[in-house]
Amino acid sequence: MPTALPMPPAPAELQLAALAAVNRPRQLPLLTRIAELLATSPKVQHLIVRGSLASGTADRLSDVDFLVGVHDGALPAFAASLDDLMAVAAGALLPGWRDSIVADLGGIGFVYLVQHEGKMQQVDLYLAPASQIPQIRRKVAGKVLLERPLGTLTASQADAARACIAEHIRRPRTCSELLIEHLVLAVLLHKRIQRGQRFIAYAEWHLLHTATKDLIKTALVPSSGFWGWYQLREELALTPIGRACLADLDAAITSTAVPTTADVEAALDRVLALTERACPNALDGLADAVTAYRTYLELP
């Protein structure tokens, strides 16, 4: 199970006092830990807290949400190393989910599930080129924790950042990434259910079913010429595994429109069994992480 390593001293310019003065949510120690971790990189030029922790409206289920401005020239390498950084130094249970829900602000969103003080917490990191942060800040409210001068920026560095972002968005997701998407969406759904956010739960429940469809197609018909939900039965019903997966998908889409906690747990059990049947290699290197995830998910 991942454990966090000792942190180096935080940079003097990391401004946490202003945020602490607004409120002291239970997530503040985790926010401080992640902020100090990110601020140790000289390539991080901007660090901004978003969402309820910035506005002072956080509850015990709120996630830790950062906008991270990385020097354009360093963004490709920073994005490539982020999973390792979050696993080793921050205690992330799983690789980051490439966030498909967050608004497009010209960067890349990642969601990490982190163990903190015996509980699982959600950390959202939105990486953006530092050169784009002024424009993004006109669209997004938040509290600035760190602001460093951009320094020298060349056209080729800006182009490399844009190409990295476009590649992340365009690249098809693997079966492992789609499994992680299920795990993250299950956490989001548990929050919606506990808060009574029925409309958002409905939307994220549909996203979970779509991720199940995408996982089946990626595993069994990766070269499908059909978009979305079209021709599923025609493509998948040709083999016993395909028919079993169709039955799983049918069970998912005929479930209740707004799930209960039990519905989410049943869907998670179903997709883990489906993964073992259709693409067992997707669990390579993730078995212990999934066990840890299930353990933390069951904690009160």
Side-chain angles (χ1 to χ4, degrees):
M1 188 176 300
T3 56
L5 297 180
M7 293 297 305
E13 67 265 42
L14 187 57
Q15 302 172 38
L16 289 165
L19 183 68
V22 176
N23 56 33
R24 286 193 172 272
R26 62 185 294 177
Q27 295 90 340
L28 190 59
L30 175 60
L31 184 151
T32 301
R33 181 172 127 201
I34 302 299
E36 291 176 348
L37 168 64
L38 295 170
T40 56
S41 171
K43 300 303 182 182
V44 173
Q45 319 268 234
H46 303 272
L47 199 54
I48 300 167
V49 180
R50 304 200 297 164
S52 58
L53 285 170
S55 64
T57 58
D59 62 20
R60 66 182 183 85
L61 299 174
S62 295
D63 57 348
V64 175
D65 191 349
F66 286 106
L67 170 60
V68 186
V70 181
H71 190 285
D72 298 43
L75 191 141
F78 192 90
S81 64
L82 190 57
D83 279 353
D84 289 339
L85 178 69
M86 291 297 291
V88 174
L93 299 174
L94 295 157
W97 171 50
R98 194 176 70 203
D99 193 345
S100 60
I101 299 175
V102 68
D104 181 6
L105 299 171
I108 318 165
F110 297 92
V111 176
Y112 288 92
L113 302 177
V114 173
Q115 61 85 15
H116 178 70
E117 296 182 349
K119 297 187 183 301
M120 185 161 58
Q121 298 281 355
Q122 179 183 336
V123 176
D124 296 350
L125 301 179
Y126 193 86
L127 302 190
S131 63
Q132 300 303 308
I133 292 298
Q135 294 94 308
I136 294 174
R137 287 181 61 183
R138 288 195 283 269
K139 303 175 185 177
V140 174
K143 291 195 174 295
V144 176
L145 298 186
L146 180 68
E147 197 158 34
R148 292 167 172 156
L150 178 58
T152 303
L153 174 65
T154 66
S156 62
Q157 289 174 329
D159 289 343
R162 285 193 291 269
C164 171
I165 293 166
E167 171 61 21
H168 269 79
I169 294 171
R170 180 175 60 245
R171 179 179 58 80
R173 290 165 296 172
T174 65
C175 287
S176 293
E177 290 170 330
L178 287 163
L179 174 60
I180 291 169
E181 180 169 351
H182 283 84
L183 300 176
V184 172
L185 286 172
V187 171
L188 298 182
L189 281 162
H190 280 298
K191 290 183 183 182
R192 307 310 181 194
I193 293 165
Q194 291 185 56
R195 287 171 170 163
Q197 297 172 318
R198 290 173 54 81
F199 295 117
I200 304 177
Y202 168 83
E204 291 175 352
W205 190 227
H206 173 69
L207 288 176
L208 190 77
H209 300 338
T210 301
T212 302
K213 178 266 296 178
D214 290 342
L215 176 58
I216 295 169
K217 288 188 70 172
T218 300
L220 300 182
V221 284
S223 59
S224 171
F226 298 99
W227 182 83
W229 294 80
Y230 288 95
Q231 300 293 317
L232 288 177
R233 190 165 301 280
E234 289 80 355
E235 288 193 314
L236 294 171
L238 303 177
T239 66
I241 289 179
R243 290 191 289 274
C245 289
L246 280 175
D248 286 333
L249 188 57
D250 194 69
I253 66 173
T254 54
S255 60
T256 180
V258 180
T260 64
T261 297
D263 293 326
V264 176
E265 287 302 304
L268 203 51
D269 289 339
R270 186 166 55 240
V271 80
L272 286 169
L274 185 157
T275 302
E276 290 180 353
R277 179 196 317 125
C279 49
N281 59 324
L283 289 164
D284 291 349
L286 289 180
D288 291 343
V290 171
T291 299
Y293 166 91
R294 298 301 295 267
T295 299
Y296 280 106
L297 199 62
E298 292 169 3
L299 293 174

